[in-house]
Amino acid sequence: MENNVLIVGASGGIASALIEQYRSAGAKVFAVSRAAASESNNLENVSYHQISEQNDKHICGFVKQLAEQDVVLNTVVITTGFLHNENDGIHPEKRLEDVSEEALTAYFATNSIIPSIWLKHLVNVMSKEGSTLVCLSARVGSISDNGLGGWYGYRASKAALNMFVKTASVEYKRRLKDVMLVCYHPGTVDTGLSKPFQKNVAAKKLFTPEFTAKQLVHHLSALDREQACHFIDWNGEVVTW
Ligand SMILES: NC(=O)c1ccc[n+]([C@@H]2O[C@H](COP(=O)([O-])OP(=O)(O)OC[C@H]3O[C@@H](n4cnc5c(N)ncnc54)[C@H](OP(=O)(O)O)[C@@H]3O)[C@@H](O)[C@H]2O)c1
Protein backbone atom coordinates (compact mmCIF):
# COMPACT_ATOMS: atom_id res chain seq x y z
CA MET A 1 0.00 0.00 0.00
CA GLU A 2 1.25 3.49 -0.85
CA ASN A 3 2.33 5.56 2.14
CA ASN A 4 1.20 9.15 1.64
CA VAL A 5 2.57 11.70 4.08
CA LEU A 6 1.69 15.38 4.42
CA ILE A 7 4.12 17.74 6.15
CA VAL A 8 2.85 21.26 6.88
CA GLY A 9 5.34 24.08 7.54
CA ALA A 10 7.77 22.47 5.13
CA SER A 11 10.52 25.09 5.22
CA GLY A 12 11.02 24.67 8.98
CA GLY A 13 13.94 22.92 10.64
CA ILE A 14 12.04 19.91 11.98
CA ALA A 15 9.77 19.70 8.91
CA SER A 16 12.76 19.56 6.53
CA ALA A 17 14.25 16.64 8.47
CA LEU A 18 10.88 14.86 8.53
CA ILE A 19 10.50 15.26 4.77
CA GLU A 20 13.94 13.68 4.28
CA GLN A 21 13.17 10.91 6.76
CA TYR A 22 9.88 9.92 5.13
CA ARG A 23 10.92 10.32 1.49
CA SER A 24 14.12 8.30 1.94
CA ALA A 25 12.00 5.52 3.47
CA GLY A 26 9.97 5.46 0.22
CA ALA A 27 6.89 7.43 1.29
CA LYS A 28 5.25 9.86 -1.11
CA VAL A 29 5.52 13.23 0.62
CA PHE A 30 3.27 16.27 0.12
CA ALA A 31 5.14 19.26 1.53
CA VAL A 32 3.21 22.49 2.21
CA SER A 33 4.84 25.82 2.96
CA ARG A 34 4.12 29.53 2.84
CA ALA A 35 7.33 29.83 0.84
CA ALA A 36 7.71 29.22 -2.88
CA ALA A 37 9.60 26.09 -3.86
CA SER A 38 13.31 26.44 -4.57
CA GLU A 39 15.82 24.18 -6.31
CA SER A 40 16.54 22.40 -2.99
CA ASN A 41 12.87 21.38 -2.73
CA ASN A 42 13.13 19.42 -5.94
CA LEU A 43 13.49 16.00 -4.32
CA GLU A 44 12.52 12.52 -5.38
CA ASN A 45 9.18 11.40 -3.84
CA VAL A 46 8.31 14.95 -2.75
CA SER A 47 5.67 17.25 -4.23
CA TYR A 48 5.95 20.78 -2.92
CA HIS A 49 2.92 23.08 -2.58
CA GLN A 50 2.91 26.73 -1.70
CA ILE A 51 0.04 28.16 0.36
CA SER A 52 1.24 31.65 1.17
CA GLU A 53 -1.69 32.50 3.41
CA GLN A 54 -2.90 29.54 5.45
CA ASN A 55 -6.55 30.36 6.09
CA ASP A 56 -9.77 28.33 5.96
CA LYS A 57 -10.36 29.03 2.26
CA HIS A 58 -6.87 28.13 1.04
CA ILE A 59 -6.45 25.09 3.28
CA CYS A 60 -9.89 23.85 2.20
CA GLY A 61 -8.96 24.40 -1.46
CA PHE A 62 -5.73 22.42 -1.11
CA VAL A 63 -7.41 19.50 0.67
CA LYS A 64 -10.18 19.45 -1.98
CA GLN A 65 -7.50 19.19 -4.67
CA LEU A 66 -6.04 16.17 -2.88
CA ALA A 67 -9.51 14.59 -2.72
CA GLU A 68 -10.11 15.26 -6.43
CA GLN A 69 -6.84 13.50 -7.19
CA ASP A 70 -7.97 10.54 -5.02
CA VAL A 71 -5.09 11.10 -2.63
CA VAL A 72 -5.60 9.32 0.68
CA LEU A 73 -3.21 10.32 3.45
CA ASN A 74 -1.74 7.89 5.98
CA THR A 75 0.35 10.29 8.02
CA VAL A 76 0.20 14.05 8.62
CA VAL A 77 2.64 16.13 10.64
CA ILE A 78 1.67 19.75 11.21
CA THR A 79 4.81 21.56 12.33
CA THR A 80 3.43 25.11 12.11
CA GLY A 81 4.42 27.22 15.06
CA PHE A 82 6.45 30.19 16.25
CA LEU A 83 7.97 31.40 19.51
CA HIS A 84 9.57 34.70 18.53
CA ASN A 85 9.29 36.95 15.51
CA GLU A 86 12.02 39.57 15.16
CA ASN A 87 10.21 41.43 12.35
CA ASP A 88 7.12 41.99 14.50
CA GLY A 89 9.09 42.46 17.73
CA ILE A 90 7.43 39.45 19.37
CA HIS A 91 9.37 37.69 22.13
CA PRO A 92 8.14 35.29 24.83
CA GLU A 93 6.80 37.36 27.73
CA LYS A 94 8.67 37.34 31.05
CA ARG A 95 6.05 39.24 33.06
CA LEU A 96 2.41 40.31 32.75
CA GLU A 97 3.42 43.80 31.60
CA ASP A 98 5.02 42.22 28.50
CA VAL A 99 1.69 40.74 27.35
CA SER A 100 0.23 42.47 24.28
CA GLU A 101 -2.90 42.01 22.20
CA GLU A 102 -0.85 41.90 19.02
CA ALA A 103 1.48 39.17 20.26
CA LEU A 104 -1.36 37.08 21.74
CA THR A 105 -3.28 37.35 18.48
CA ALA A 106 -0.23 36.24 16.51
CA TYR A 107 0.53 33.32 18.85
CA PHE A 108 -3.03 31.99 18.70
CA ALA A 109 -3.36 32.57 14.95
CA THR A 110 -0.25 30.59 14.10
CA ASN A 111 0.11 28.05 16.91
CA SER A 112 -3.56 27.19 17.53
CA ILE A 113 -5.78 28.29 14.65
CA ILE A 114 -3.79 27.22 11.59
CA PRO A 115 -3.26 23.63 12.82
CA SER A 116 -6.94 23.48 13.89
CA ILE A 117 -8.12 24.50 10.42
CA TRP A 118 -5.91 21.80 8.90
CA LEU A 119 -7.54 19.22 11.21
CA LYS A 120 -10.98 20.52 10.23
CA HIS A 121 -10.40 19.75 6.53
CA LEU A 122 -8.04 16.77 6.64
CA VAL A 123 -10.69 14.45 8.10
CA ASN A 124 -11.98 14.10 4.52
CA VAL A 125 -8.75 12.71 3.05
CA MET A 126 -7.35 10.49 5.80
CA SER A 127 -7.11 6.74 5.28
CA LYS A 128 -9.76 4.68 7.06
CA GLU A 129 -7.24 1.84 7.26
CA GLY A 130 -4.80 3.28 9.74
CA SER A 131 -3.91 6.94 9.80
CA THR A 132 -2.00 9.21 12.15
CA LEU A 133 -2.09 12.99 12.55
CA VAL A 134 0.59 14.73 14.59
CA CYS A 135 0.71 18.35 15.73
CA LEU A 136 4.03 19.61 16.97
CA SER A 137 3.15 20.99 20.36
CA ALA A 138 5.43 21.76 23.32
CA ARG A 139 5.77 20.63 26.92
CA VAL A 140 5.25 24.26 27.98
CA GLY A 141 1.70 23.86 26.65
CA SER A 142 0.99 21.38 29.44
CA ILE A 143 -1.25 23.05 32.03
CA SER A 144 -0.38 20.58 34.80
CA ASP A 145 3.38 20.84 34.17
CA ASN A 146 3.53 24.64 34.36
CA GLY A 147 5.64 25.46 37.40
CA LEU A 148 7.73 28.28 35.95
CA GLY A 149 5.17 30.64 34.43
CA GLY A 150 6.12 33.18 31.75
CA TRP A 151 5.87 32.69 27.96
CA TYR A 152 2.15 33.48 28.23
CA GLY A 153 1.26 33.57 24.55
CA TYR A 154 3.28 30.54 23.47
CA ARG A 155 2.14 28.42 26.43
CA ALA A 156 -1.53 29.39 26.09
CA SER A 157 -1.59 28.91 22.31
CA LYS A 158 -0.02 25.44 22.58
CA ALA A 159 -2.48 24.52 25.39
CA ALA A 160 -5.32 25.64 23.09
CA LEU A 161 -3.84 23.55 20.29
CA ASN A 162 -3.70 20.53 22.60
CA MET A 163 -7.35 20.98 23.55
CA PHE A 164 -8.38 21.23 19.89
CA VAL A 165 -6.43 18.08 19.00
CA LYS A 166 -7.87 16.15 21.95
CA THR A 167 -11.41 17.28 21.08
CA ALA A 168 -10.98 16.51 17.37
CA SER A 169 -9.63 13.04 18.22
CA VAL A 170 -13.05 12.04 19.58
CA GLU A 171 -14.77 12.88 16.28
CA TYR A 172 -11.94 11.53 14.13
CA LYS A 173 -12.19 8.19 15.96
CA ARG A 174 -15.95 8.11 15.41
CA ARG A 175 -15.64 8.91 11.72
CA LEU A 176 -12.49 7.05 10.71
CA LYS A 177 -12.09 4.28 13.37
CA ASP A 178 -8.40 3.38 12.93
CA VAL A 179 -6.99 6.83 13.48
CA MET A 180 -4.75 8.37 16.11
CA LEU A 181 -3.98 12.01 16.89
CA VAL A 182 -0.78 13.01 18.64
CA CYS A 183 0.48 16.16 20.33
CA TYR A 184 4.27 15.88 20.25
CA HIS A 185 6.93 17.69 22.26
CA PRO A 186 10.15 17.37 20.26
CA GLY A 187 12.51 18.55 23.03
CA THR A 188 14.78 21.53 22.36
CA VAL A 189 15.78 21.27 18.73
CA ASP A 190 18.46 23.29 16.98
CA THR A 191 16.29 25.37 14.63
CA GLY A 192 15.56 29.05 14.10
CA LEU A 193 12.71 28.81 16.61
CA SER A 194 14.96 27.90 19.55
CA LYS A 195 18.12 29.84 18.52
CA PRO A 196 17.78 32.72 21.02
CA PHE A 197 17.06 30.31 23.88
CA GLN A 198 19.80 27.73 23.44
CA LYS A 199 22.54 29.10 25.69
CA ASN A 200 21.29 27.42 28.87
CA VAL A 201 20.59 24.12 27.16
CA ALA A 202 23.19 21.37 27.73
CA ALA A 203 24.77 20.26 24.45
CA LYS A 204 23.36 16.74 24.78
CA LYS A 205 19.86 18.15 25.31
CA LEU A 206 19.97 20.26 22.14
CA PHE A 207 18.79 17.86 19.47
CA THR A 208 19.48 17.95 15.76
CA PRO A 209 16.42 18.05 13.49
CA GLU A 210 17.56 14.69 12.05
CA PHE A 211 17.54 13.03 15.52
CA THR A 212 14.14 14.64 16.19
CA ALA A 213 12.64 13.27 12.96
CA LYS A 214 13.95 9.75 13.71
CA GLN A 215 12.57 9.82 17.26
CA LEU A 216 9.15 11.02 16.10
CA VAL A 217 8.77 8.35 13.43
CA HIS A 218 10.00 5.67 15.84
CA HIS A 219 7.62 6.65 18.67
CA LEU A 220 4.60 6.91 16.38
CA SER A 221 5.01 3.28 15.39
CA ALA A 222 5.01 2.19 19.07
CA LEU A 223 1.91 4.06 20.28
CA ASP A 224 -1.32 2.29 21.27
CA ARG A 225 -3.60 2.92 18.28
CA GLU A 226 -6.70 2.11 20.31
CA GLN A 227 -6.16 5.38 22.18
CA ALA A 228 -7.54 8.24 20.09
CA CYS A 229 -5.15 10.89 21.38
CA HIS A 230 -1.67 10.99 22.88
CA PHE A 231 0.56 13.74 24.25
CA ILE A 232 4.14 12.43 24.27
CA ASP A 233 7.68 13.81 24.21
CA TRP A 234 10.84 13.11 22.19
CA ASN A 235 11.65 10.18 24.48
CA GLY A 236 8.26 8.53 24.00
CA GLU A 237 7.22 9.50 27.55
CA VAL A 238 3.67 10.67 28.28
CA VAL A 239 3.33 14.42 28.90
CA THR A 240 0.47 15.27 31.25
CA TRP A 241 -2.13 17.61 29.73
N1 LIG B 1 12.69 23.87 18.02
C1 LIG B 1 12.31 23.58 19.26
O1 LIG B 1 13.13 23.57 20.19
C2 LIG B 1 10.88 23.25 19.56
C3 LIG B 1 10.54 22.90 20.89
C4 LIG B 1 9.22 22.58 21.20
C5 LIG B 1 8.26 22.65 20.20
N2 LIG B 1 8.61 23.01 18.91
C6 LIG B 1 7.54 23.09 17.91
O2 LIG B 1 7.93 22.38 16.75
C7 LIG B 1 7.36 23.01 15.59
C8 LIG B 1 8.41 23.19 14.50
O3 LIG B 1 9.39 24.05 15.00
P1 LIG B 1 10.83 24.25 14.35
O4 LIG B 1 11.78 24.21 15.48
O5 LIG B 1 11.03 23.36 13.18
O6 LIG B 1 10.71 25.78 13.92
P2 LIG B 1 10.87 26.52 12.51
O7 LIG B 1 12.11 26.04 11.84
O8 LIG B 1 10.74 27.96 12.82
O9 LIG B 1 9.60 26.00 11.69
C9 LIG B 1 8.28 26.38 12.01
C10 LIG B 1 7.47 26.48 10.74
O10 LIG B 1 6.16 26.92 11.08
C11 LIG B 1 5.63 27.64 9.99
N3 LIG B 1 5.13 28.96 10.42
C12 LIG B 1 5.70 29.84 11.26
N4 LIG B 1 4.96 30.96 11.34
C13 LIG B 1 3.89 30.77 10.53
C14 LIG B 1 2.76 31.56 10.18
N5 LIG B 1 2.57 32.79 10.66
N6 LIG B 1 1.86 31.04 9.32
C15 LIG B 1 2.03 29.81 8.81
N7 LIG B 1 3.09 29.01 9.10
C16 LIG B 1 4.00 29.49 9.94
C17 LIG B 1 6.74 27.89 8.98
O11 LIG B 1 6.58 27.04 7.87
P3 LIG B 1 6.54 27.59 6.34
O12 LIG B 1 7.18 28.94 6.33
O13 LIG B 1 7.28 26.55 5.59
O14 LIG B 1 5.10 27.65 5.98
C18 LIG B 1 7.99 27.53 9.76
O15 LIG B 1 8.98 27.06 8.93
C19 LIG B 1 6.70 24.30 16.07
O16 LIG B 1 5.31 24.10 16.18
C20 LIG B 1 7.30 24.52 17.45
O17 LIG B 1 6.44 25.22 18.32
C21 LIG B 1 9.89 23.31 18.58
Side-chain angles (χ1 to χ4, degrees):
M1 191 179 67
E2 202 168 40
N3 185 21
N4 290 328
V5 177
L6 169 69
I7 308 287
V8 178
S11 75
I14 298 175
S16 305
L18 281 168
I19 291 167
E20 186 52 34
Q21 172 85 9
Y22 278 113
R23 81 161 198 101
S24 58
K28 182 168 180 205
V29 179
F30 299 82
V32 172
S33 175
R34 292 170 301 171
S38 67
E39 197 56 33
S40 64
N41 299 123
N42 198 2
L43 299 165
E44 197 180 350
N45 295 344
V46 181
S47 62
Y48 193 92
H49 308 265
Q50 182 184 20
I51 307 182
S52 26
E53 202 188 332
Q54 298 201 8
N55 56 26
D56 209 334
K57 184 174 159 212
H58 294 151
I59 293 171
C60 177
F62 173 77
V63 174
K64 270 197 178 138
Q65 268 177 33
L66 292 182
E68 279 158 18
Q69 292 158 16
D70 295 322
V71 173
V72 175
L73 296 172
N74 307 94
T75 305
V76 171
V77 187
I78 301 170
T79 72
T80 308
F82 91 102
L83 173 59
H84 61 98
N85 182 331
E86 303 315 315
N87 293 335
D88 295 338
I90 301 178
H91 305 279
E93 311 88 345
K94 292 194 170 130
R95 56 209 293 265
L96 284 166
E97 286 76 1
D98 297 336
V99 172
S100 79
E101 283 178 20
E102 292 76 14
L104 284 182
T105 303
Y107 277 124
F108 279 94
T110 299
N111 295 349
S112 326
I113 296 175
I114 291 177
S116 300
I117 297 300
W118 276 103
L119 293 182
K120 167 185 170 180
H121 294 292
L122 284 169
V123 71
N124 298 312
V125 286
M126 297 309 301
S127 170
K128 292 195 166 74
E129 284 140 31
S131 53
T132 303
L133 297 96
V134 183
C135 287
L136 290 192
S137 181
R139 191 187 300 282
V140 295
S142 162
I143 291 175
S144 51
D145 188 60
N146 184 359
L148 282 179
W151 291 25
Y152 288 87
Y154 188 71
R155 280 185 188 278
S157 60
K158 289 294 191 183
L161 168 69
N162 291 348
M163 180 54 103
F164 193 97
V165 174
K166 175 87 177 151
T167 305
S169 75
V170 176
E171 188 173 341
Y172 263 79
K173 196 80 181 160
R174 196 164 63 233
R175 290 168 68 165
L176 299 177
K177 311 285 185 275
D178 188 4
V179 61
M180 180 174 75
L181 275 69
V182 181
C183 297
Y184 191 85
H185 169 63
T188 306
V189 187
D190 188 8
T191 66
L193 181 141
S194 70
K195 267 284 178 290
F197 311 95
Q198 292 179 359
K199 59 179 183 300
N200 294 326
V201 180
K204 65 176 195 284
K205 278 290 171 83
L206 181 62
F207 304 138
T208 62
E210 293 69 30
F211 171 79
T212 304
K214 279 204 186 90
Q215 290 295 103
L216 190 149
V217 172
H218 171 70
H219 292 313
L220 289 188
S221 66
L223 285 173
D224 173 10
R225 300 194 56 85
E226 292 299 309
Q227 191 177 320
C229 194
H230 297 264
F231 186 10
I232 60 162
D233 71 6
W234 62 273
N235 204 21
E237 307 280 341
V238 169
V239 183
T240 55
W241 295 103

